[in-house]
Amino acid sequence: MLMNAEVSLSCEGIERFLGEDDSRVHALRGVSLQLERGTVHAVVGPSGCGKSTLLYILGLLDHADSGWVTIENEAVSHLVDDALARKRNELLGFIFQFHFLLEDFTAQENVMIPMRRLAVLSEEQMLERSAHLLDAVGLGSKLKRPSRHLSGGEQQRVAVARALANNPSVILADEPTGNLDSANSRRAFELLQRIVQEERKALLLVTHNPEIAEACDWIHEMQDGRIVESHSRGHRISVRAGA
Amino acid sequence: MTPPLYIALRFLRHRRRSFILSLSGVVFGVAIFICTQAQTQGFAQNFIDSTLGSNGALLLRSRFQSATTGLLVPPKNVRNPNQPRRHSIDGITNASEIMRISRQFADVAACSAVLRGTVSARAGFDNATVDLFGIDAVSHLQTTNLAQQITSGDLDDFRNNPNAVIIGSRLAEAMQVVPGDAVQLLSPGGEYRRFTIAATARSGVGVVDSVRVYCHVRVAQTLLRKPFPASMIVYKLRDPERAPAVARAFEDLFQHDAQSWQDREEANLQLFVTVRVSAAITVSLIILLAGFGIFNVLTMSVLSKIKEIAILRSMGYRARDISAIFLWQGAMIAAAGSVIGCLAGAAFTWGVSKIPIQVRGLLYANHFLVTWDWHHYLWATVLAIVAVFIASYVPARRAAQLAPVATLRGSSA
């Protein structure tokens, strides 16, 4: 696999077993991956092939049974829970299929939640940054609107703004357009793509949408817990499992 | 404001009904605790004040005499031969000297010698057995609250007239006499002496008001035909709680039987303590029930916020931040509940103190007696905080242990 030197996130030989005893499943079988700054990677594959499991391990929400994860050239697999939480807060941004906003909070308050945990900005600075981020995703006029009163597309854009709140190096998205119509899907993806390119971030998204996958810089096809093929836009390079 | 506190406040604001439900449980428990403690201690305190005001904090009575003095061999039934068996001889030996020495003790605020005896009283066709207290007016008024207890008549009429008496209010009612009337007291020798009632006194203690008659000590000595001028010394102490210690010291020093008010009123005090503890247990159960309510509300809150917990975890909130969110919710319920409960408790207590009630037994009262003691508010608050913390801890811990992946995975494709 051809990668440039500016690696934001990488993993090597990730193995993960889910369930116990008879129901034990070998969900990931030696997955390796590298995400460089300014690139968009899509993970595709049938349901149950291990896409989301890989995403949660890379997002430090789940642990690998073997293998290691590096973020910004620092190995993080061995870190304790509090340290992992800090890494998630500082370096990672998550976008989920069902956007997962706090319904009782306004759009602006949702965006400010990661900033509050980081505790670097003052209240005024947080208000200013969250307003700027929401403005960037086209929601500058709906800052104070409770998130439950926003449309699906708007909620997903709030989720994008929230993922960018702490200026993370890596954005991980689990079917970010899965709950949107095609027009909104395209708009949301283009927004993410623009942010990644402009701000030199790395984006890994899990998707079932072939149009979106084809628009990514890299596509990784997964099957039975392995990346069976990775190719850049316009090129096809087969990769053996565990390679 | 810490992020968990901010989120806890927002969660509470959007679950107002649950919050109010939890809050009312704590408010009710705290308020009832304060109110019941104020009542039960109110009656007890009134009794203590009344008994201290009438009989002093300490009584020095009969003189000790060793029962084995003069025996060469101690009797066989003596448990400890080194500690002499003691008999008591009625009366105080050299009362004025004992009082002179006693006054040098820092604990002693005042003391008064009393010659006490039982005589029959007659007024018109009514007869009664009375407890005669022969007193020196000046020292007795310094030692007791007799001056404040006068309900009718004039204390000066007693001071200026050697044949005047002060009579207990309930005794006066029973014998149908008022100040200015005459009463006859029958001496042990069988002769009646006529006295003028100068005043009636109400101590608030039933057994005092229904039998006691005060007269001058020299008159009492003549009437009772006692060879000594004092059968006991009544002490007023600066700190009544020190009465047992002072009693022990006086027994050793003066070789007279000394009895503290705590020993003297042990049975009644025990009764008040029992009622108070019983009320405290009942009200603690109410607070415990409120705690169960809060436990249920917070557990439901955790279950309904599983998605939010997973989101917060994915954004870098630590397990202890999640735990803190629910502990803060409990803390806010406890804080608000305690403050409102204390205010409501004070209001209830004030309201109860206005309820008319006719108590004419052990105590005299025309309305509920209450005390205003900050300790009640402190204990109610501590109890509420402990109950709410225990009720919040389990749901908070459970919230912290929730694995975010399970929720996120379950909600995604």
Side-chain angles (χ1 to χ4, degrees), chain A residues 53 61 81-82 85 88-89 94 97-98 100 102-104 109 113 116-117 162 174-175, chain B residues 3 6 10 14 305 308 311 313-318 320-321 405 408-409 411-413:
Chain A
T53 303
L61 286 166
D81 193 58
D82 278 8
R88 278 200 299 274
N89 186 238
F94 280 94
Q97 180 182 1
F98 297 100
F100 276 169
L102 300 186
E103 291 176 0
D104 300 329
E109 286 168 343
I113 287 173
R116 288 188 186 283
R117 177 62 268 167
R162 187 181 63 185
D174 191 1
E175 302 224 36
Chain B
Y6 170 81
R10 296 302 313 271
H14 288 277
K305 297 287 181 195
E308 282 83 353
I311 298 166
R313 292 283 279 144
S314 74
M315 288 189 289
Y317 280 72
R318 297 163 299 183
R320 63 169 181 260
D321 293 328
V405 174
L408 298 171
R409 194 190 296 278
S411 303
S412 55

mmCIF file of all heavy atoms in Angstrom, chain A residues 53 61 81-82 85 88-89 94 97-98 100 102-104 109 113 116-117 162 174-175, chain B residues 3 6 10 14 305 308 311 313-318 320-321 405 408-409 411-413:
data_model
loop_
_atom_site.group_PDB
_atom_site.id
_atom_site.type_symbol
_atom_site.label_atom_id
_atom_site.label_comp_id
_atom_site.label_asym_id
_atom_site.label_seq_id
_atom_site.Cartn_x
_atom_site.Cartn_y
_atom_site.Cartn_z
ATOM 1 N N THR A 53 -16.520 -2.543 14.158
ATOM 2 C CA THR A 53 -15.602 -2.996 15.213
ATOM 3 C C THR A 53 -14.233 -2.340 15.023
ATOM 4 O O THR A 53 -13.627 -1.840 15.983
ATOM 5 C CB THR A 53 -15.462 -4.533 15.167
ATOM 6 O OG1 THR A 53 -16.756 -5.109 15.287
ATOM 7 C CG2 THR A 53 -14.570 -5.052 16.284
ATOM 8 N N LEU A 61 -12.600 3.397 21.567
ATOM 9 C CA LEU A 61 -13.779 3.080 22.366
ATOM 10 C C LEU A 61 -13.816 1.593 22.706
ATOM 11 O O LEU A 61 -14.520 1.174 23.608
ATOM 12 C CB LEU A 61 -15.056 3.446 21.596
ATOM 13 C CG LEU A 61 -15.353 4.944 21.518
ATOM 14 C CD1 LEU A 61 -16.426 5.209 20.467
ATOM 15 C CD2 LEU A 61 -15.809 5.481 22.872
ATOM 16 N N ASP A 81 -7.916 3.782 30.839
ATOM 17 C CA ASP A 81 -9.182 4.343 30.365
ATOM 18 C C ASP A 81 -9.193 5.870 30.359
ATOM 19 O O ASP A 81 -9.651 6.489 29.392
ATOM 20 C CB ASP A 81 -10.321 3.806 31.244
ATOM 21 C CG ASP A 81 -11.669 4.090 30.622
ATOM 22 O OD1 ASP A 81 -11.891 3.652 29.488
ATOM 23 O OD2 ASP A 81 -12.473 4.793 31.258
ATOM 24 N N ASP A 82 -8.683 6.489 31.435
ATOM 25 C CA ASP A 82 -8.694 7.957 31.510
ATOM 26 C C ASP A 82 -7.826 8.576 30.414
ATOM 27 O O ASP A 82 -8.206 9.589 29.807
ATOM 28 C CB ASP A 82 -8.180 8.433 32.882
ATOM 29 C CG ASP A 82 -9.267 8.375 33.931
ATOM 30 O OD1 ASP A 82 -10.361 7.835 33.624
ATOM 31 O OD2 ASP A 82 -9.033 8.844 35.062
ATOM 32 N N ALA A 85 -9.567 8.313 27.148
ATOM 33 C CA ALA A 85 -10.624 9.328 27.061
ATOM 34 C C ALA A 85 -10.009 10.676 26.661
ATOM 35 O O ALA A 85 -10.581 11.408 25.844
ATOM 36 C CB ALA A 85 -11.347 9.440 28.398
ATOM 37 N N ARG A 88 -9.205 10.633 22.995
ATOM 38 C CA ARG A 88 -10.439 10.764 22.203
ATOM 39 C C ARG A 88 -10.862 12.228 22.142
ATOM 40 O O ARG A 88 -11.271 12.732 21.111
ATOM 41 C CB ARG A 88 -11.580 9.956 22.858
ATOM 42 C CG ARG A 88 -11.572 8.489 22.543
ATOM 43 C CD ARG A 88 -12.946 7.861 22.792
ATOM 44 N NE ARG A 88 -13.393 7.949 24.162
ATOM 45 C CZ ARG A 88 -13.084 7.088 25.116
ATOM 46 N NH1 ARG A 88 -12.316 6.057 24.852
ATOM 47 N NH2 ARG A 88 -13.560 7.234 26.334
ATOM 48 N N ASN A 89 -10.740 12.882 23.316
ATOM 49 C CA ASN A 89 -11.172 14.272 23.413
ATOM 50 C C ASN A 89 -10.278 15.207 22.596
ATOM 51 O O ASN A 89 -10.749 16.136 21.948
ATOM 52 C CB ASN A 89 -11.193 14.674 24.899
ATOM 53 C CG ASN A 89 -11.762 16.056 25.116
ATOM 54 O OD1 ASN A 89 -11.114 16.929 25.660
ATOM 55 N ND2 ASN A 89 -12.995 16.251 24.699
ATOM 56 N N PHE A 94 -15.861 12.051 16.352
ATOM 57 C CA PHE A 94 -16.759 10.966 15.921
ATOM 58 C C PHE A 94 -18.007 11.526 15.269
ATOM 59 O O PHE A 94 -18.575 12.512 15.727
ATOM 60 C CB PHE A 94 -17.204 10.135 17.129
ATOM 61 C CG PHE A 94 -16.186 9.137 17.590
ATOM 62 C CD1 PHE A 94 -15.288 9.459 18.593
ATOM 63 C CD2 PHE A 94 -16.135 7.880 17.024
ATOM 64 C CE1 PHE A 94 -14.355 8.543 19.020
ATOM 65 C CE2 PHE A 94 -15.194 6.960 17.439
ATOM 66 C CZ PHE A 94 -14.309 7.286 18.441
ATOM 67 N N GLN A 97 -24.077 7.400 12.570
ATOM 68 C CA GLN A 97 -25.168 7.349 11.599
ATOM 69 C C GLN A 97 -26.390 8.126 12.102
ATOM 70 O O GLN A 97 -27.003 8.867 11.366
ATOM 71 C CB GLN A 97 -25.552 5.891 11.319
ATOM 72 C CG GLN A 97 -26.688 5.763 10.321
ATOM 73 C CD GLN A 97 -27.098 4.325 10.086
ATOM 74 O OE1 GLN A 97 -26.540 3.407 10.679
ATOM 75 N NE2 GLN A 97 -28.068 4.134 9.236
ATOM 76 N N PHE A 98 -26.713 7.907 13.371
ATOM 77 C CA PHE A 98 -27.907 8.563 13.916
ATOM 78 C C PHE A 98 -27.516 9.854 14.646
ATOM 79 O O PHE A 98 -28.151 10.229 15.601
ATOM 80 C CB PHE A 98 -28.667 7.598 14.824
ATOM 81 C CG PHE A 98 -29.175 6.396 14.079
ATOM 82 C CD1 PHE A 98 -28.506 5.184 14.122
ATOM 83 C CD2 PHE A 98 -30.309 6.506 13.285
ATOM 84 C CE1 PHE A 98 -28.972 4.083 13.417
ATOM 85 C CE2 PHE A 98 -30.771 5.410 12.570
ATOM 86 C CZ PHE A 98 -30.103 4.190 12.635
ATOM 87 N N PHE A 100 -26.567 11.194 16.953
ATOM 88 C CA PHE A 100 -26.386 11.108 18.407
ATOM 89 C C PHE A 100 -26.100 12.463 19.054
ATOM 90 O O PHE A 100 -25.108 12.648 19.737
ATOM 91 C CB PHE A 100 -25.236 10.153 18.744
ATOM 92 C CG PHE A 100 -25.641 8.714 18.784
ATOM 93 C CD1 PHE A 100 -24.678 7.715 18.842
ATOM 94 C CD2 PHE A 100 -26.973 8.342 18.785
ATOM 95 C CE1 PHE A 100 -25.028 6.383 18.881
ATOM 96 C CE2 PHE A 100 -27.338 7.012 18.823
ATOM 97 C CZ PHE A 100 -26.359 6.029 18.862
ATOM 98 N N LEU A 102 -27.258 15.391 21.834
ATOM 99 C CA LEU A 102 -28.015 15.446 23.093
ATOM 100 C C LEU A 102 -29.268 16.265 22.805
ATOM 101 O O LEU A 102 -29.197 17.467 22.555
ATOM 102 C CB LEU A 102 -27.172 16.085 24.200
ATOM 103 C CG LEU A 102 -25.862 15.362 24.537
ATOM 104 C CD1 LEU A 102 -25.193 15.996 25.735
ATOM 105 C CD2 LEU A 102 -26.100 13.891 24.811
ATOM 106 N N GLU A 103 -30.409 15.598 22.836
ATOM 107 C CA GLU A 103 -31.648 16.194 22.333
ATOM 108 C C GLU A 103 -32.065 17.455 23.082
ATOM 109 O O GLU A 103 -32.647 18.366 22.512
ATOM 110 C CB GLU A 103 -32.775 15.162 22.418
ATOM 111 C CG GLU A 103 -32.599 14.028 21.431
ATOM 112 C CD GLU A 103 -33.658 12.964 21.587
ATOM 113 O OE1 GLU A 103 -34.526 13.125 22.466
ATOM 114 O OE2 GLU A 103 -33.607 11.981 20.829
ATOM 115 N N ASP A 104 -31.786 17.459 24.395
ATOM 116 C CA ASP A 104 -32.240 18.595 25.205
ATOM 117 C C ASP A 104 -31.346 19.816 25.032
ATOM 118 O O ASP A 104 -31.687 20.897 25.501
ATOM 119 C CB ASP A 104 -32.258 18.205 26.690
ATOM 120 C CG ASP A 104 -33.187 17.036 26.956
ATOM 121 O OD1 ASP A 104 -34.188 16.927 26.225
ATOM 122 O OD2 ASP A 104 -32.920 16.248 27.871
ATOM 123 N N GLU A 109 -24.863 24.219 22.094
ATOM 124 C CA GLU A 109 -24.443 23.499 23.312
ATOM 125 C C GLU A 109 -23.877 22.130 22.965
ATOM 126 O O GLU A 109 -22.921 21.666 23.594
ATOM 127 C CB GLU A 109 -25.633 23.354 24.264
ATOM 128 C CG GLU A 109 -25.995 24.652 24.957
ATOM 129 C CD GLU A 109 -27.336 24.587 25.662
ATOM 130 O OE1 GLU A 109 -28.133 23.680 25.365
ATOM 131 O OE2 GLU A 109 -27.589 25.446 26.503
ATOM 132 N N ILE A 113 -19.896 20.667 23.884
ATOM 133 C CA ILE A 113 -19.667 19.588 24.868
ATOM 134 C C ILE A 113 -18.218 19.069 24.858
ATOM 135 O O ILE A 113 -17.584 18.968 25.910
ATOM 136 C CB ILE A 113 -20.690 18.446 24.680
ATOM 137 C CG1 ILE A 113 -22.055 18.924 25.175
ATOM 138 C CG2 ILE A 113 -20.292 17.196 25.477
ATOM 139 C CD1 ILE A 113 -23.166 17.961 24.895
ATOM 140 N N ARG A 116 -15.904 21.696 26.415
ATOM 141 C CA ARG A 116 -15.986 21.802 27.888
ATOM 142 C C ARG A 116 -15.056 20.782 28.538
ATOM 143 O O ARG A 116 -14.394 21.072 29.528
ATOM 144 C CB ARG A 116 -17.427 21.553 28.361
ATOM 145 C CG ARG A 116 -18.361 22.679 28.048
ATOM 146 C CD ARG A 116 -19.730 22.494 28.691
ATOM 147 N NE ARG A 116 -20.632 23.522 28.237
ATOM 148 C CZ ARG A 116 -20.639 24.782 28.655
ATOM 149 N NH1 ARG A 116 -19.781 25.148 29.594
ATOM 150 N NH2 ARG A 116 -21.478 25.660 28.172
ATOM 151 N N ARG A 117 -15.027 19.567 27.988
ATOM 152 C CA ARG A 117 -14.159 18.531 28.570
ATOM 153 C C ARG A 117 -12.689 18.897 28.380
ATOM 154 O O ARG A 117 -11.870 18.704 29.273
ATOM 155 C CB ARG A 117 -14.498 17.189 27.924
ATOM 156 C CG ARG A 117 -13.682 15.985 28.315
ATOM 157 C CD ARG A 117 -13.791 15.628 29.771
ATOM 158 N NE ARG A 117 -12.751 16.269 30.539
ATOM 159 C CZ ARG A 117 -12.711 16.360 31.827
ATOM 160 N NH1 ARG A 117 -13.664 15.864 32.557
ATOM 161 N NH2 ARG A 117 -11.731 16.960 32.447
ATOM 162 N N ARG A 162 -19.666 19.271 15.717
ATOM 163 C CA ARG A 162 -19.245 18.774 17.036
ATOM 164 C C ARG A 162 -17.968 17.941 16.911
ATOM 165 O O ARG A 162 -17.068 18.030 17.751
ATOM 166 C CB ARG A 162 -20.370 17.939 17.660
ATOM 167 C CG ARG A 162 -20.091 17.532 19.094
ATOM 168 C CD ARG A 162 -21.221 16.700 19.652
ATOM 169 N NE ARG A 162 -21.372 15.427 18.917
ATOM 170 C CZ ARG A 162 -22.353 14.563 19.135
ATOM 171 N NH1 ARG A 162 -23.286 14.834 20.032
ATOM 172 N NH2 ARG A 162 -22.421 13.434 18.452
ATOM 173 N N ASP A 174 -19.138 6.677 11.286
ATOM 174 C CA ASP A 174 -19.808 5.391 11.085
ATOM 175 C C ASP A 174 -21.093 5.650 10.302
ATOM 176 O O ASP A 174 -22.086 6.088 10.865
ATOM 177 C CB ASP A 174 -20.106 4.757 12.447
ATOM 178 C CG ASP A 174 -20.545 3.310 12.312
ATOM 179 O OD1 ASP A 174 -20.593 2.809 11.166
ATOM 180 O OD2 ASP A 174 -20.832 2.690 13.346
ATOM 181 N N GLU A 175 -21.049 5.384 9.024
ATOM 182 C CA GLU A 175 -22.181 5.633 8.128
ATOM 183 C C GLU A 175 -22.758 7.036 8.344
ATOM 184 O O GLU A 175 -23.924 7.188 8.706
ATOM 185 C CB GLU A 175 -23.266 4.581 8.355
ATOM 186 C CG GLU A 175 -22.722 3.189 8.142
ATOM 187 C CD GLU A 175 -23.669 2.323 7.343
ATOM 188 O OE1 GLU A 175 -24.311 2.865 6.439
ATOM 189 O OE2 GLU A 175 -23.751 1.142 7.641
ATOM 190 N N PRO B 3 -17.565 20.393 33.647
ATOM 191 C CA PRO B 3 -18.472 19.827 32.629
ATOM 192 C C PRO B 3 -19.539 18.886 33.223
ATOM 193 O O PRO B 3 -20.708 18.997 32.846
ATOM 194 C CB PRO B 3 -17.523 19.096 31.682
ATOM 195 C CG PRO B 3 -16.212 19.778 31.839
ATOM 196 C CD PRO B 3 -16.146 20.227 33.269
ATOM 197 N N TYR B 6 -22.249 20.997 34.785
ATOM 198 C CA TYR B 6 -23.034 21.675 33.756
ATOM 199 C C TYR B 6 -24.045 20.694 33.135
ATOM 200 O O TYR B 6 -25.236 21.007 33.000
ATOM 201 C CB TYR B 6 -22.084 22.221 32.678
ATOM 202 C CG TYR B 6 -22.779 22.740 31.451
ATOM 203 C CD1 TYR B 6 -23.331 24.014 31.438
ATOM 204 C CD2 TYR B 6 -22.901 21.950 30.310
ATOM 205 C CE1 TYR B 6 -23.986 24.484 30.314
ATOM 206 C CE2 TYR B 6 -23.555 22.420 29.187
ATOM 207 C CZ TYR B 6 -24.095 23.689 29.189
ATOM 208 O OH TYR B 6 -24.755 24.138 28.073
ATOM 209 N N ARG B 10 -28.253 20.545 33.287
ATOM 210 C CA ARG B 10 -29.091 20.511 32.086
ATOM 211 C C ARG B 10 -30.007 19.291 32.096
ATOM 212 O O ARG B 10 -31.164 19.383 31.726
ATOM 213 C CB ARG B 10 -28.227 20.506 30.821
ATOM 214 C CG ARG B 10 -27.397 21.741 30.611
ATOM 215 C CD ARG B 10 -28.262 23.002 30.557
ATOM 216 N NE ARG B 10 -29.423 22.861 29.692
ATOM 217 C CZ ARG B 10 -29.435 23.131 28.387
ATOM 218 N NH1 ARG B 10 -28.352 23.602 27.826
ATOM 219 N NH2 ARG B 10 -30.506 22.951 27.669
ATOM 220 N N HIS B 14 -34.268 19.330 32.319
ATOM 221 C CA HIS B 14 -35.149 18.709 31.329
ATOM 222 C C HIS B 14 -35.869 17.481 31.864
ATOM 223 O O HIS B 14 -36.580 16.830 31.135
ATOM 224 C CB HIS B 14 -34.356 18.377 30.061
ATOM 225 C CG HIS B 14 -34.013 19.597 29.298
ATOM 226 N ND1 HIS B 14 -34.875 20.186 28.424
ATOM 227 C CD2 HIS B 14 -32.922 20.387 29.346
ATOM 228 C CE1 HIS B 14 -34.321 21.278 27.928
ATOM 229 N NE2 HIS B 14 -33.136 21.425 28.476
ATOM 230 N N LYS B 305 -30.677 7.628 29.742
ATOM 231 C CA LYS B 305 -29.569 8.434 29.213
ATOM 232 C C LYS B 305 -28.420 7.559 28.694
ATOM 233 O O LYS B 305 -27.300 8.046 28.542
ATOM 234 C CB LYS B 305 -29.010 9.357 30.306
ATOM 235 C CG LYS B 305 -29.991 10.385 30.823
ATOM 236 C CD LYS B 305 -30.231 11.486 29.809
ATOM 237 C CE LYS B 305 -31.195 12.524 30.358
ATOM 238 N NZ LYS B 305 -31.730 13.394 29.322
ATOM 239 N N GLU B 308 -26.929 9.046 25.648
ATOM 240 C CA GLU B 308 -26.153 10.262 25.946
ATOM 241 C C GLU B 308 -24.821 9.903 26.605
ATOM 242 O O GLU B 308 -23.789 10.522 26.323
ATOM 243 C CB GLU B 308 -26.948 11.191 26.867
ATOM 244 C CG GLU B 308 -28.018 11.999 26.170
ATOM 245 C CD GLU B 308 -29.319 11.227 25.970
ATOM 246 O OE1 GLU B 308 -29.335 10.005 26.259
ATOM 247 O OE2 GLU B 308 -30.303 11.829 25.511
ATOM 248 N N ILE B 311 -22.482 8.802 23.975
ATOM 249 C CA ILE B 311 -22.009 9.956 23.184
ATOM 250 C C ILE B 311 -20.917 10.688 23.955
ATOM 251 O O ILE B 311 -19.859 11.023 23.400
ATOM 252 C CB ILE B 311 -23.175 10.933 22.897
ATOM 253 C CG1 ILE B 311 -24.253 10.249 22.067
ATOM 254 C CG2 ILE B 311 -22.670 12.182 22.180
ATOM 255 C CD1 ILE B 311 -25.561 11.016 22.033
ATOM 256 N N ARG B 313 -18.998 9.601 26.289
ATOM 257 C CA ARG B 313 -17.773 8.785 26.364
ATOM 258 C C ARG B 313 -16.999 8.885 25.041
ATOM 259 O O ARG B 313 -15.778 8.976 25.033
ATOM 260 C CB ARG B 313 -18.119 7.324 26.667
ATOM 261 C CG ARG B 313 -18.689 7.088 28.060
ATOM 262 C CD ARG B 313 -17.631 7.098 29.138
ATOM 263 N NE ARG B 313 -16.934 5.832 29.211
ATOM 264 C CZ ARG B 313 -15.655 5.719 29.480
ATOM 265 N NH1 ARG B 313 -14.921 6.796 29.667
ATOM 266 N NH2 ARG B 313 -15.094 4.530 29.556
ATOM 267 N N SER B 314 -17.728 8.854 23.929
ATOM 268 C CA SER B 314 -17.051 8.908 22.631
ATOM 269 C C SER B 314 -16.359 10.263 22.432
ATOM 270 O O SER B 314 -15.397 10.362 21.685
ATOM 271 C CB SER B 314 -18.047 8.652 21.491
ATOM 272 O OG SER B 314 -18.879 9.776 21.306
ATOM 273 N N MET B 315 -16.868 11.279 23.123
ATOM 274 C CA MET B 315 -16.269 12.608 22.977
ATOM 275 C C MET B 315 -15.174 12.870 23.998
ATOM 276 O O MET B 315 -14.704 13.995 24.123
ATOM 277 C CB MET B 315 -17.358 13.670 23.089
ATOM 278 C CG MET B 315 -18.241 13.690 21.858
ATOM 279 S SD MET B 315 -19.365 15.076 21.846
ATOM 280 C CE MET B 315 -20.477 14.632 23.120
ATOM 281 N N GLY B 316 -14.816 11.848 24.760
ATOM 282 C CA GLY B 316 -13.668 11.986 25.656
ATOM 283 C C GLY B 316 -14.010 12.178 27.119
ATOM 284 O O GLY B 316 -13.122 12.462 27.925
ATOM 285 N N TYR B 317 -15.278 12.049 27.460
ATOM 286 C CA TYR B 317 -15.624 12.130 28.889
ATOM 287 C C TYR B 317 -15.200 10.824 29.560
ATOM 288 O O TYR B 317 -15.430 9.740 29.030
ATOM 289 C CB TYR B 317 -17.119 12.386 29.062
ATOM 290 C CG TYR B 317 -17.462 13.850 28.852
ATOM 291 C CD1 TYR B 317 -17.438 14.417 27.580
ATOM 292 C CD2 TYR B 317 -17.771 14.668 29.923
ATOM 293 C CE1 TYR B 317 -17.716 15.758 27.381
ATOM 294 C CE2 TYR B 317 -18.050 16.018 29.740
ATOM 295 C CZ TYR B 317 -18.021 16.550 28.470
ATOM 296 O OH TYR B 317 -18.284 17.881 28.284
ATOM 297 N N ARG B 318 -14.581 10.976 30.739
ATOM 298 C CA ARG B 318 -14.071 9.792 31.438
ATOM 299 C C ARG B 318 -15.208 9.116 32.196
ATOM 300 O O ARG B 318 -16.259 9.736 32.430
ATOM 301 C CB ARG B 318 -12.985 10.209 32.435
ATOM 302 C CG ARG B 318 -11.767 10.816 31.783
ATOM 303 C CD ARG B 318 -10.926 11.559 32.771
ATOM 304 N NE ARG B 318 -11.682 12.655 33.373
ATOM 305 C CZ ARG B 318 -11.170 13.520 34.248
ATOM 306 N NH1 ARG B 318 -9.923 13.406 34.638
ATOM 307 N NH2 ARG B 318 -11.907 14.487 34.749
ATOM 308 N N ARG B 320 -15.340 8.535 35.260
ATOM 309 C CA ARG B 320 -15.657 9.246 36.502
ATOM 310 C C ARG B 320 -16.408 10.550 36.234
ATOM 311 O O ARG B 320 -17.105 11.045 37.105
ATOM 312 C CB ARG B 320 -14.401 9.480 37.339
ATOM 313 C CG ARG B 320 -13.327 10.335 36.753
ATOM 314 C CD ARG B 320 -12.324 10.651 37.878
ATOM 315 N NE ARG B 320 -11.248 11.500 37.420
ATOM 316 C CZ ARG B 320 -10.043 11.068 37.085
ATOM 317 N NH1 ARG B 320 -9.763 9.782 37.144
ATOM 318 N NH2 ARG B 320 -9.107 11.905 36.703
ATOM 319 N N ASP B 321 -16.282 11.087 35.006
ATOM 320 C CA ASP B 321 -17.105 12.251 34.650
ATOM 321 C C ASP B 321 -18.579 11.842 34.569
ATOM 322 O O ASP B 321 -19.462 12.571 35.018
ATOM 323 C CB ASP B 321 -16.676 12.825 33.292
ATOM 324 C CG ASP B 321 -15.282 13.432 33.339
ATOM 325 O OD1 ASP B 321 -14.913 13.959 34.403
ATOM 326 O OD2 ASP B 321 -14.566 13.364 32.320
ATOM 327 N N VAL B 405 -19.547 1.210 23.516
ATOM 328 C CA VAL B 405 -19.583 0.494 22.230
ATOM 329 C C VAL B 405 -20.880 -0.270 22.062
ATOM 330 O O VAL B 405 -21.468 -0.280 20.974
ATOM 331 C CB VAL B 405 -18.375 -0.463 22.127
ATOM 332 C CG1 VAL B 405 -18.483 -1.314 20.879
ATOM 333 C CG2 VAL B 405 -17.092 0.331 22.093
ATOM 334 N N LEU B 408 -23.486 2.226 21.009
ATOM 335 C CA LEU B 408 -23.237 2.769 19.672
ATOM 336 C C LEU B 408 -23.438 1.695 18.602
ATOM 337 O O LEU B 408 -24.040 1.931 17.564
ATOM 338 C CB LEU B 408 -21.805 3.323 19.592
ATOM 339 C CG LEU B 408 -21.504 4.479 20.559
ATOM 340 C CD1 LEU B 408 -20.024 4.803 20.549
ATOM 341 C CD2 LEU B 408 -22.314 5.711 20.190
ATOM 342 N N ARG B 409 -22.939 0.492 18.885
ATOM 343 C CA ARG B 409 -23.063 -0.610 17.930
ATOM 344 C C ARG B 409 -24.541 -0.957 17.728
ATOM 345 O O ARG B 409 -24.989 -1.180 16.619
ATOM 346 C CB ARG B 409 -22.304 -1.828 18.447
ATOM 347 C CG ARG B 409 -22.073 -2.898 17.404
ATOM 348 C CD ARG B 409 -21.547 -4.145 18.074
ATOM 349 N NE ARG B 409 -20.245 -3.929 18.698
ATOM 350 C CZ ARG B 409 -19.086 -3.964 18.047
ATOM 351 N NH1 ARG B 409 -19.063 -4.186 16.770
ATOM 352 N NH2 ARG B 409 -17.970 -3.788 18.685
ATOM 353 N N SER B 411 -27.023 0.910 17.851
ATOM 354 C CA SER B 411 -27.792 1.947 17.168
ATOM 355 C C SER B 411 -27.338 2.186 15.750
ATOM 356 O O SER B 411 -27.949 2.948 15.025
ATOM 357 C CB SER B 411 -27.675 3.266 17.935
ATOM 358 O OG SER B 411 -28.104 3.056 19.243
ATOM 359 N N SER B 412 -26.222 1.582 15.385
ATOM 360 C CA SER B 412 -25.729 1.812 14.018
ATOM 361 C C SER B 412 -25.998 0.597 13.160
ATOM 362 O O SER B 412 -26.356 -0.459 13.647
ATOM 363 C CB SER B 412 -24.225 2.128 14.045
ATOM 364 O OG SER B 412 -23.545 1.117 14.712
ATOM 365 N N ALA B 413 -25.816 0.776 11.841
ATOM 366 C CA ALA B 413 -26.147 -0.296 10.915
ATOM 367 C C ALA B 413 -25.144 -1.420 10.984
ATOM 368 O O ALA B 413 -24.015 -1.218 11.342
ATOM 369 C CB ALA B 413 -26.145 0.259 9.503
#
